[in-house]
Amino acid sequence: MSSFRKALKTKTRDHKERSQLGFRKHLGLLEKKKDYKLRADDYHRKQKTILALRKKAMDKNPDEFNFKMIHNQLKDGVHMIKPEESVMTDEQKKMMRTQDIRYVEMKRVSEMKKIERMKSELHFLDVNEEKKNKHVFYVDSKKEVEDFDLATHLNTVPALVDRVYNRPTIETLTHKSILGAVESKSIKKLAKQRKQQYLRLSERIDREQEMFVISQKIQTRKDLQDKVKKVKVRKETSTAPAIYRFETKRKR
């Protein structure tokens, strides 16, 4: 019985903090000490961060290099991150996800054969209006230079002097009939067709080059799966794969 009384005497009473008074309920809940402690700790933590940043700004060397100097730019007084250049086009990503390197190589070889066939048919006639090659004529005196007539020297009519191909002589024009288109309307039509053929050839060359880049990128990704130490030498671009230097490993 005495022990029960001692237990009743030693029992502590729970502390209950009072709530907000009735006439102050419009002010909200009454702040307790634990709420004040959290708010005070948050305030002091922010003050310490501000002081540390202020000290870092005061001690900063204006000539110090930072990588964000390259990747950021100032626009209307606000620092903006520069958009990174896409190293792969959408078509390249789609092709690499869906096709295998063997399929890409097969299509590239097919394009190369078509390019060679078109080149053999066109012979690159009138590719550029400016003639890259030069034809030099030598004479013995200045008088011959002044009296020099290119049409007479080439033995052809003046209208055909500027042509770099199919330039018949006067004797050929006199004794033989001209094969092919002669009328201006037919000549214009043939010129238009030739221009379209060169345009198709240019598109095929670009397509073949793009497939070559895709096959190289696929092969590079396959090589990276090997567990060998490597160092990136050059970043990947839209026109070339990334270049890695692999550690030399002796094979048994």
Side-chain angles (χ1 to χ4, degrees), residues 18-57:
R18 67 183 180 87
S19 60
Q20 187 69 278
L21 298 177
F23 66 93
R24 290 174 57 87
K25 283 188 177 181
H26 66 281
L27 299 175
L29 296 174
L30 181 65
E31 185 182 40
K32 308 299 188 294
K33 185 175 181 179
K34 60 179 182 179
D35 302 324
Y36 162 76
K37 184 67 175 172
L38 291 173
R39 184 166 56 83
D41 291 343
D42 182 63
Y43 172 78
H44 289 303
R45 184 168 59 252
K46 290 177 180 178
Q47 287 297 113
K48 287 181 181 179
T49 304
I50 292 172
L51 289 174
L53 292 173
R54 187 175 295 157
K55 185 176 183 301
K56 188 175 181 180

Side-chain angles (χ1 to χ4, degrees), residues 8 15 17-18 32 38 41 46 58-59 72 87-88 93 100 106 118 121-123 132 138 159 170 177 180 195-196 225:
L8 290 174
H15 175 71
E17 295 187 5
R18 67 183 180 87
K32 308 299 188 294
L38 291 173
D41 291 343
K46 290 177 180 178
M58 292 175 63
D59 297 340
N72 289 9
V87 297
M88 291 181 62
K93 291 178 182 178
D100 189 46
M106 181 187 71
M118 291 183 71
E121 293 174 357
L122 292 171
H123 299 291
K132 296 182 180 179
Y138 296 92
I170 295 175
S177 60
K195 186 177 180 181
Q196 291 176 351
Q225 294 177 358

Side-chain angles (χ1 to χ4, degrees), residues 153-189:
H153 189 83
L154 294 175
N155 193 20
T156 186
V157 294
L160 301 178
V161 168
D162 295 333
R163 299 181 68 172
V164 295
Y165 70 98
N166 193 16
R167 187 169 53 200
T169 60
I170 295 175
E171 288 79 3
T172 305
L173 294 172
T174 305
H175 297 91
K176 293 183 181 181
S177 60
I178 301 175
L179 301 176
V182 180
E183 298 179 358
S184 59
K185 187 176 181 180
S186 302
I187 293 173
K188 288 181 180 179
K189 185 178 180 181

Side-chain angles (χ1 to χ4, degrees), residues 137-148:
F137 298 97
Y138 296 92
V139 293
D140 297 330
S141 62
K142 292 183 178 180
K143 185 178 180 181
E144 292 183 8
V145 174
E146 295 174 356
D147 300 336
F148 185 79

Side-chain angles (χ1 to χ4, degrees), residues 61-243:
N61 182 4
D63 298 329
E64 185 179 359
F65 173 76
N66 195 314
F67 280 103
K68 289 190 177 180
M69 297 177 182
I70 300 174
H71 302 299
N72 289 9
Q73 62 182 355
L74 198 64
K75 187 175 182 181
D76 297 333
V78 181
H79 284 279
M80 305 290 290
I81 299 176
K82 291 182 180 178
E84 295 184 0
E85 183 182 357
S86 178
V87 297
M88 291 181 62
T89 61
D90 295 336
E91 187 177 351
Q92 289 179 350
K93 291 178 182 178
K94 183 178 179 181
M95 181 74 76
M96 291 181 68
R97 291 193 194 102
T98 56
Q99 308 297 345
D100 189 46
I101 188 170
R102 293 181 180 177
Y103 174 78
V104 176
E105 282 294 324
M106 181 187 71
K107 296 295 288 183
R108 191 175 74 86
V109 172
S110 175
E111 287 292 333
M112 287 178 63
K113 290 180 180 179
K114 292 177 182 178
I115 289 170
E116 292 297 327
R117 186 163 60 249
M118 291 183 71
K119 283 182 179 179
S120 63
E121 293 174 357
L122 292 171
H123 299 291
F124 285 99
L125 303 178
D126 290 344
V127 177
N128 295 321
E129 293 182 0
E130 298 180 0
K131 296 182 287 295
K132 296 182 180 179
N133 298 331
K134 294 182 180 179
H135 194 168
V136 182
F137 298 97
Y138 296 92
V139 293
D140 297 330
S141 62
K142 292 183 178 180
K143 185 178 180 181
E144 292 183 8
V145 174
E146 295 174 356
D147 300 336
F148 185 79
D149 185 21
L150 186 59
T152 305
H153 189 83
L154 294 175
N155 193 20
T156 186
V157 294
L160 301 178
V161 168
D162 295 333
R163 299 181 68 172
V164 295
Y165 70 98
N166 193 16
R167 187 169 53 200
T169 60
I170 295 175
E171 288 79 3
T172 305
L173 294 172
T174 305
H175 297 91
K176 293 183 181 181
S177 60
I178 301 175
L179 301 176
V182 180
E183 298 179 358
S184 59
K185 187 176 181 180
S186 302
I187 293 173
K188 288 181 180 179
K189 185 178 180 181
L190 290 174
K192 186 177 180 180
Q193 291 177 356
R194 185 167 59 246
K195 186 177 180 181
Q196 291 176 351
Q197 286 292 101
Y198 279 119
L199 183 61
R200 293 193 191 98
L201 176 61
S202 176
E203 291 175 354
R204 288 193 180 277
I205 292 173
D206 294 339
R207 194 180 301 119
E208 187 272 332
Q209 182 63 29
E210 189 174 359
M211 287 190 175
F212 177 69
V213 173
I214 290 172
S215 63
Q216 284 188 323
K217 289 183 178 181
I218 295 175
Q219 186 62 44
T220 303
R221 279 164 173 72
K222 284 189 174 182
D223 294 339
L224 290 176
Q225 294 177 358
D226 298 337
K227 295 180 180 180
V228 182
K229 290 184 179 179
K230 57 256 182 192
V231 179
K232 183 182 282 189
V233 180
R234 188 180 299 171
K235 292 183 178 180
E236 182 177 317
T237 62
S238 58
T239 57
I243 298 177

